[in-house]
Amino acid sequence: MHNLDIPAPEKRMRRLRANDTMRRFIRETHLSVNDLIYPIFVEENTDERVEIKSMPGVFRETETTLVDKVKECDAAGIPAIILFGVSKHKDSIGSDSMQKTGLLSRMIQIAKQAAPNILVIADVCFCEYTDHGHCGPLNDDSTDVDNDRTLENLAAQSVNAAKAGADIIAPSGMMDGGVEAIRSALNQSGFNKLPIMAYAAKFASGFYGPFRDAAGCSLGGSQGPKDRKTYQMDPANRMEALREVEQDILEGADMVMVKPGLPYLDVIREVKDTFQMPTFAYNVSGEYAMLKFAAQAGAIDHDVAMMEKLMCFKRAGADGIITYHALEAAELLNQQ
Ligand code: PBG
């Protein structure tokens, strides 16, 4: 493929970089609003939306302001949102999220009503709804998350989200057998057409810090392990990530995700090449915060770096990106 015999004057890479039109013409990868998924935090029992200190520009919305946010996304052409609850009704198993009148259910209904065509992704997990902050109920001696009890609850939570009108179910808890449990529960309840976006390779990452602030699901209480390393993956493991993704596909995942995003672009590329599945990246809260604070300090041109990193997710093989930048990126993309 490489002809090293071409004489030197012919080896001029800069010919195709001469001006903007030429660069546009030969561009290999394209970013559009269709690639963006906007995460929204929704706090219950509160009158005012509050900005999250560690995530400038991102708010805990109220159930009322959620309506405007969803409409704003819809107007910008963003195809999908993903909802995270900030619960005031936590208990040891996260029962609120399995109830018809609970926050998970309500925020899905509100979003669907605000903009019926936007895809509402339900993040199914328990960390936002448990008092200990773990992603499922603990085992009897509280030393770890009980995998198989979590599966039963995940099935109930997913059917609850489906009944509320969710368009996509996205399990993010990294429990073994989660996708299969959800798939069979959905099918049994008549939701066999509802797709699953599996957080297939989710790593135990330091980059989730601001999210835990935002969603109020930090660990460190007296109950359960001090971190999520017994269920989320070791950042050092690439081949294990492929096995995780394969497992979720075998269990019935329709789409897969790699999370976090930026330090894991190699994993995204490998997942895409290996499985050719619709593959998504989560540009997580810590990655968002790094850019915001670097820009605030004057160290980086915010918009340039933002569009660059979103493009790089696409170049790495992602078909879409969950990103807190979705609205501001859509604004720039819609001007082009
Ligand atoms: C909960 C969940 C987390 C994120 C999304 N869903 C946090 C965690 O696993 O601790 C992180 C998202 C982000 O940092 O933006 N399962």
Side-chain angles (χ1 to χ4, degrees), residues 37 121 168-171 179 195-202 241-259 267-282 317-322:
I37 302 168
I121 305 176
I168 295 170
I169 302 294
V179 173
I196 296 176
M197 175 189 275
Y199 285 68
K202 177 173 176 180
L242 293 176
R243 295 202 299 277
E244 274 283 1
V245 172
E246 180 176 43
Q247 182 69 32
D248 281 3
I249 295 169
L250 291 172
E251 289 181 28
D254 302 281
M255 300 167 258
V256 295
M257 196 198 303
V258 174
K259 178 185 174 185
V267 180
I268 297 171
R269 166 52 59 201
E270 203 151 0
V271 165
K272 185 66 189 176
D273 286 351
T274 306
F275 301 106
Q276 284 96 38
M277 291 284 285
T279 302
F280 292 82
Y282 200 138
D319 297 292
I321 309 143
I322 301 181

Side-chain angles (χ1 to χ4, degrees), residues 66-301:
L66 171 60
V67 174
D68 300 331
K69 261 291 158 218
V70 176
K71 286 186 172 159
E72 202 182 329
C73 290
D74 195 36
I78 292 171
I81 56 169
I82 184 163
L83 299 170
F84 296 103
V86 184
S87 172
K88 302 268 171 72
H89 295 94
K90 300 186 183 201
D91 61 20
S92 64
I93 64 167
S95 55
D96 183 70
S97 65
M98 294 179 271
Q99 277 156 20
K100 209 170 135 187
T101 52
L103 175 59
L104 176 68
S105 202
R106 295 199 309 275
M107 59 190 187
I108 294 168
Q109 285 166 354
I110 293 167
K112 282 313 291 181
Q113 221 169 13
N117 289 328
I118 210 161
L119 297 172
V120 173
I121 305 176
D123 179 271
V124 297
C125 189
F126 290 93
C127 60
E128 300 138 63
Y129 305 97
T130 52
D131 47 19
H132 45 71
H134 276 289
C135 299
L138 302 177
N139 57 13
D140 289 339
D141 58 8
S142 293
T143 53
D144 204 352
V145 175
D146 187 325
N147 194 88
D148 294 4
R149 272 185 73 202
T150 307
L151 296 188
E152 287 169 30
N153 294 355
L154 273 175
Q157 195 190 50
S158 300
V159 171
N160 192 31
K163 285 181 177 162
D167 297 292
I168 295 170
I169 302 294
S172 67
M174 289 300 280
M175 293 299 132
D176 286 324
V179 173
E180 184 175 41
I182 291 168
R183 183 73 272 158
S184 80
L186 289 174
N187 291 359
Q188 276 165 27
S189 307
F191 294 107
N192 54 320
K193 289 190 182 145
L194 211 57
I196 296 176
M197 175 189 275
Y199 285 68
K202 177 173 176 180
F203 293 85
S205 172
F207 292 95
Y208 304 149
F211 175 95
R212 292 182 189 164
D213 237 15
C217 61
S218 299
L219 302 176
S222 54
Q223 295 252 302
K226 295 279 172 273
D227 54 44
R228 299 182 209 270
K229 290 180 186 170
T230 67
Y231 42 105
Q232 298 179 351
M233 284 186 56
D234 184 333
N237 295 353
R238 172 178 67 88
M239 288 175 286
E240 187 188 347
L242 293 176
R243 295 202 299 277
E244 274 283 1
V245 172
E246 180 176 43
Q247 182 69 32
D248 281 3
I249 295 169
L250 291 172
E251 289 181 28
D254 302 281
M255 300 167 258
V256 295
M257 196 198 303
V258 174
K259 178 185 174 185
L262 293 177
Y264 298 85
L265 293 181
D266 59 325
V267 180
I268 297 171
R269 166 52 59 201
E270 203 151 0
V271 165
K272 185 66 189 176
D273 286 351
T274 306
F275 301 106
Q276 284 96 38
M277 291 284 285
T279 302
F280 292 82
Y282 200 138
N283 177 212
V284 302
S285 56
E287 300 168 24
Y288 174 86
M290 287 197 306
L291 176 49
K292 287 291 166 191
F293 291 120
Q296 279 181 11
I300 249 177
D301 181 319

